[in-house]
Amino acid sequence: MAAVPPAARGRAIGIAMAGISAVQGLGALAAGAAADVVPAGTVVLVTGLAGLPLVVVPLLALLRTRAPAGRAVAGPSGT
């Protein structure tokens, strides 16, 4: 969001939320179709394993950017 000008942030958030909603709907549709072919538990397992790297990789990147405990870090304003 920092790259978006303040006057356009509301629009950017709206577009991002619309995209998230659309992808969630498509994911549910795909999972439902897959559950017609294989057991639902298998669908849950596969989607969970597929989504795990989508959470772990950004989390590890965030942890690498944090300062060691006890060290102060300047905030967005530089203070």
Side-chain angles (χ1 to χ4, degrees):
M1 276 306 182
V4 179
R9 286 191 182 151
R11 183 179 299 157
I13 290 172
I15 291 169
M17 293 306 297
I20 289 170
S21 296
V23 170
Q24 284 179 336
L26 292 174
L29 183 65
D36 284 341
V37 178
V38 297
T42 303
V43 175
V44 172
L45 175 67
V46 169
T47 56
L49 290 175
L52 193 60
L54 299 175
V55 174
V56 172
V57 171
L59 179 62
L60 292 175
L62 174 67
L63 293 175
R64 276 190 236 127
T65 61
R66 291 197 170 180
R71 285 185 60 196
V73 178
S77 65
T79 59

